[in-house]
């Protein structure tokens, strides 16, 4: 049996590698770009290790750890440094260090008295069992200041998202479940913490997830996985179906397969399947993508402000100009820069600042931001810009319906499987989890 995997990002490469390892199928991977990795790609320049996209993964999910072990890459895994536990929010012209204990955050001077009173009202607010946007949810349960200063910035930092449009069920499912189950977030979290503490003390398990990566960058793992996979570098333009076999029309050739796994962005899939299912093709167009510019800047470490010895910082939604997050990559992980150098990454744009991602003077914007918020005035000695016009898919209130139509499409076209970050989570962990799910369906 021949299986074609379309798309060579983490989603496509991981499923292709798993199929090759666990089945006898003839697997071919088709990737339109001359490089593999998609968003997950690392380069080394001038002594800096630049991540064009993701810089790591959390160790609280099983699948990616399993994948690393299955493919013998454990020795290349690195843990984030202790400095990366320090995180800041830029708010009202000041950087606030977030305490590790949420109670301290609530009792300190980060929130106004009005906001604190509003947060303490949360256990008395009636649950809403329906899906809703992140903005609606947070304002309803915790108030606007919590949205602007904590949850909104996190949504920007993780999803480059806009809280006005993000579906709770599709993006923050667990939090919505806590509301549904316990009637209140505070009550639910207190109960869960107690349960976790009991388990943690009996199993000596760890409370919080740790950020991990690879010594030579996320891209090194993708390259490792891709070894030995039969790869064609060409773009798939369309798909034809006859007698339960599929023909993929590429720019330069055609490929016949018994099964096709799509691991590409939803807009790309939409064009390919248009002649097979116009309705689903249209539905896929509803998934929006946030644009993002990733600017990496290298500096001499000497005399840098204290904040640079941390993970980095996010912005109060009211204080965002063009940048939505600043990461001190060389403080988070070793092997990102020489010992006397600092590597900073700025995320410019996102769903809330789409216009910012289109601006031309990106380096100037980055420098001004570092001066304004981090008080970094030193000259940079290295720069790299990575422009992602469609960086991260955004799951809106229609996402549940899109997932249903995706399932229907797969059921109507036996042998077709759809995976990738447009559907069941954007993190590397989620992408790998989806690949294992596809493997179990096919085996
Ligand atoms: C700036 C940034 C930072 C991030 N940081 C993190 C992080 O720290 N941790 C984390 O867990 N996640 C992070 N993410 C999210 C995560 O990196 C992505 O969700 C994930 O890498 C997506 O993988 P994918 O394989 O599903 O899609 P992609 O990486 O987009 O891969 C899709 C591939 O399909 C190919 N393709 C498209 N059309 C066709 C076609 N017609 N024919 C053939 N090939 C085609 C593309 O060229 C591409 O290689 C980040 C994302 C970005 C953009």
């Amino acid at each position: 049996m021949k299986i074609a995997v379309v798309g060579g990002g983490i989603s496509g490469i991981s499923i292709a590698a798993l199929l090759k390892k666990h089945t006898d199928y003839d697997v071919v991977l088709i990737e339109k770009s001359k490089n593999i990795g998609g968003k997950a790609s690392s380069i080394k320049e001038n002594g800096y290790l630049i991540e064009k996209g993701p810089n790591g993964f959390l160790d609280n999910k099983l699948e990616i750890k399993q994948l690393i072990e299955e493919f013998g890459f454990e020795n290349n895994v690195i843990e984030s440094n202790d400095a990366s536990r320090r995180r800041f929010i830029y708010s009202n012209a000041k950087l606030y260090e977030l305490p590790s204990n949420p109670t301290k955050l609530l009792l300190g001077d980060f929130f106004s008295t009005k906001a604190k009173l509003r947060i303490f009202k949360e256990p008395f607010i009636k649950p809403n069992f329906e899906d809703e946007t992140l903005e609606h949810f947070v304002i309803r349960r915790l108030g606007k200041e919590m949205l602007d200063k904590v949850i909104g910035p996190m949504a920007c930092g993780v999803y480059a998202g806009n809280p006005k449009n993000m579906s709770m069920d599709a993006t923050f499912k667990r939090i919505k479940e806590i509301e549904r189950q316990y009637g209140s977030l505070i009550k639910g979290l207190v109960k869960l913490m107690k349960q976790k503490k009991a388990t943690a003390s009996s199993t000596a398990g760890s409370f919080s997830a740790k950020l991990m990566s690879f010594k030579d960058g996320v891209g090194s793992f993708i390259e490792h996985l891709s070894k030995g996979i039969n790869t064609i570098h060409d773009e798939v333009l369309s798909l034809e179906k006859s007698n339960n076999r599929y023909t993929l029309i590429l720019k330069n050739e055609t490929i016949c397969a018994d099964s096709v796994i799509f691991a590409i962005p939803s807009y790309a899939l939409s064009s390919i399947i248009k002649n097979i299912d116009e309705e689903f093709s249209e539905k896929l167009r509803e998934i929006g993508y946030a644009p993002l510019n990733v600017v990496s800047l290298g500096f001499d470490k000497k005399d840098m402000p204290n904040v640079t010895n941390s993970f980095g910082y996010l912005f109060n939604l009211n204080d965002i100009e063009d940048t939505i997050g600043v990461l001190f990559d060389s403080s988070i992980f070793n092997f990102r820069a020489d010992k006397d150098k600092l590597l900073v990454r700025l995320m410019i744009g996102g769903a809330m600042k789409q216009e910012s991602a289109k601006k031309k003077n990106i380096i100037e914007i980055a420098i001004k931001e570092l001066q304004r918020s981090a008080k970094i005035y030193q000259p940079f000695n290295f720069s790299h810009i990575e422009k992602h016009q469609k960086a991260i898919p955004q799951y809106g209130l229609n996402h549940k319906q899109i997932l249903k139509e995706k399932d229907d499409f797969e059921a109507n076209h036996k042998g077709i499987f759809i995976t990738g970050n447009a559907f069941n989570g954007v993190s590397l962990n989620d992408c790998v989890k989806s690949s294992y799910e596809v493997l179990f369906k096919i085996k």
Side-chain angles (χ1 to χ4, degrees):
M1 186 161 111
K2 182 160 180 171
I3 300 191
V5 178
V6 185
I10 180 76
S11 301
I13 296 275
S14 55
I15 183 61
L18 285 168
L19 283 168
K20 199 163 178 293
K21 180 160 191 229
H22 291 279
T23 70
D24 294 328
Y25 302 146
D26 175 11
V27 180
V28 59
L29 180 87
I30 308 160
E31 163 55 50
K32 79 169 180 184
S33 140
K34 64 180 192 316
N35 302 312
I36 48 134
K39 300 292 179 299
S41 164
S42 321
I43 49 163
K44 283 186 181 172
E45 258 181 60
N46 292 36
Y48 293 101
L49 195 157
I50 309 301
E51 296 288 13
K52 295 183 180 181
N55 71 348
F57 61 94
L58 293 174
D59 72 349
N60 58 349
K61 298 274 169 69
L62 199 72
E63 287 82 4
I64 198 159
K65 286 198 275 186
Q66 188 178 334
L67 190 71
I68 292 165
E69 278 165 27
E70 278 207 55
F71 288 87
F73 211 59
E74 307 92 303
N75 292 342
N76 299 281
V77 173
I78 53 169
E79 282 188 7
S80 49
N81 296 323
D82 285 344
S84 72
R85 292 185 189 279
R86 299 178 69 209
R87 289 164 193 235
F88 293 77
I89 299 277
Y90 182 75
S91 182
N92 300 325
K94 199 179 149 192
L95 279 170
Y96 283 87
E97 183 162 356
L98 293 173
S100 51
N101 182 341
T103 321
K104 276 193 188 155
L105 181 67
L106 290 181
L107 299 178
D109 62 354
F110 183 61
F111 288 111
S112 67
T113 309
K114 195 172 155 215
K116 285 179 197 169
L117 291 172
R118 181 64 184 78
I119 293 165
F120 289 121
K121 245 175 85 179
E122 196 275 338
F124 307 101
I125 293 186
K126 271 199 278 175
N128 168 17
F129 293 91
E130 300 300 313
D131 190 16
E132 61 194 312
T133 65
L134 176 65
E135 180 180 270
H136 190 262
F137 174 86
V138 180
I139 293 181
R140 187 174 58 75
R141 295 219 65 88
L142 296 155
K144 176 102 170 47
E145 212 172 299
M146 182 59 117
L147 176 78
D148 290 343
K149 287 183 162 178
V150 180
I151 314 280
M154 276 163 55
C156 280
V158 178
Y159 297 95
N162 185 342
K164 272 189 196 326
N165 306 323
M166 298 166 80
S167 149
M168 281 303 291
D169 276 340
T171 321
F172 299 96
K173 195 170 176 207
R174 185 69 193 116
I175 296 178
K176 190 69 192 170
E177 274 172 6
I178 293 176
E179 182 189 35
R180 288 190 181 115
Q181 194 177 344
Y182 299 94
S184 144
L185 295 184
I186 295 181
K187 281 188 210 160
L189 288 172
V190 168
K191 275 200 185 140
L192 289 171
M193 299 258 283
K194 275 188 191 155
Q195 280 168 17
K196 254 197 174 175
K197 243 184 203 163
T199 340
S201 57
S202 61
T203 60
S206 159
F207 231 141
S208 56
K210 186 144 198 168
L211 183 66
M212 314 292 285
S213 191
F214 303 94
K215 187 172 172 284
D216 294 313
V218 174
S220 67
F221 181 47
I222 311 271
E223 272 164 35
H224 177 76
L225 288 176
S226 72
K227 278 180 196 155
I229 297 176
N230 175 16
T231 306
I232 296 172
H233 289 277
D234 199 347
E235 181 175 356
V236 175
L237 301 176
S238 62
L239 175 75
E240 285 169 8
K241 183 182 180 185
S242 66
N243 301 329
N244 282 332
R245 279 207 102 208
Y246 296 97
T247 305
L248 288 163
I249 319 295
L250 279 59
K251 258 189 183 160
N252 302 308
E253 60 182 297
T254 58
I255 289 181
C256 293
D258 303 284
S259 180
V260 182
I261 301 170
F262 288 105
I264 53 180
S266 47
Y267 54 86
L269 179 61
S270 166
S271 326
I272 293 171
I273 57 142
K274 200 169 183 267
N275 56 340
I276 290 195
D277 188 333
E278 205 164 338
E279 221 173 284
F280 180 50
S281 164
E282 278 304 309
K283 196 78 197 161
L284 286 170
R285 294 260 162 214
E286 291 180 16
I287 303 176
Y289 277 72
L292 202 60
N293 289 333
V294 182
V295 180
S296 303
L297 293 174
F299 295 88
D300 285 337
K301 214 181 205 174
K302 201 165 165 275
D303 299 328
M304 277 290 168
N306 175 276
V307 63
T308 59
N309 189 29
S310 76
F311 183 88
Y313 56 97
L314 298 168
F315 293 79
N316 179 327
L317 297 187
N318 303 314
D319 290 303
I320 297 178
E321 285 183 354
D322 300 292
T323 304
I324 54 171
V326 176
L327 298 175
F328 299 116
D329 271 19
S330 58
S331 302
I332 303 172
F333 292 115
N334 294 340
F335 312 109
R336 269 37 184 172
D338 293 338
K339 286 250 173 309
D340 57 341
K341 300 279 188 281
L342 174 76
L343 177 63
V344 186
R345 270 201 314 160
L346 294 97
M347 307 290 164
I348 297 176
M352 285 189 71
K353 291 283 166 185
Q354 311 231 4
E355 290 309 311
S356 303
K358 291 183 196 145
K359 289 185 181 170
K360 294 228 156 57
N361 54 338
I362 292 293
I363 295 284
E364 204 183 303
I365 289 172
I367 293 297
K368 281 200 172 139
E369 184 56 68
L370 290 180
Q371 291 178 350
R372 173 179 83 125
S373 45
K375 312 291 174 225
I376 295 176
Y377 297 101
Q378 285 91 326
F380 62 91
N381 54 38
F382 167 81
S383 69
H384 177 96
I385 303 176
E386 196 61 38
K387 293 190 173 193
H388 298 288
Q389 279 180 1
K390 292 179 188 287
I392 300 186
Q394 304 293 311
Y395 302 171
L397 292 177
N398 54 355
H399 203 68
K400 204 181 285 172
Q401 182 59 27
I402 293 170
L403 292 184
K404 190 193 163 294
E405 292 190 27
K406 167 186 156 317
D407 289 347
D408 292 346
F409 179 83
E410 287 172 327
N412 290 336
H413 302 284
K414 290 274 173 250
I416 291 192
F417 300 90
I418 299 173
T419 182
N421 69 350
F423 302 98
N424 289 308
V426 302
S427 71
L428 296 172
N429 269 316
D430 292 328
C431 293
V432 172
K433 182 168 184 262
S434 298
S435 289
Y436 273 102
E437 283 165 7
V438 174
L439 174 71
F440 293 132
K441 280 189 207 163
I442 292 183
K443 256 175 76 174

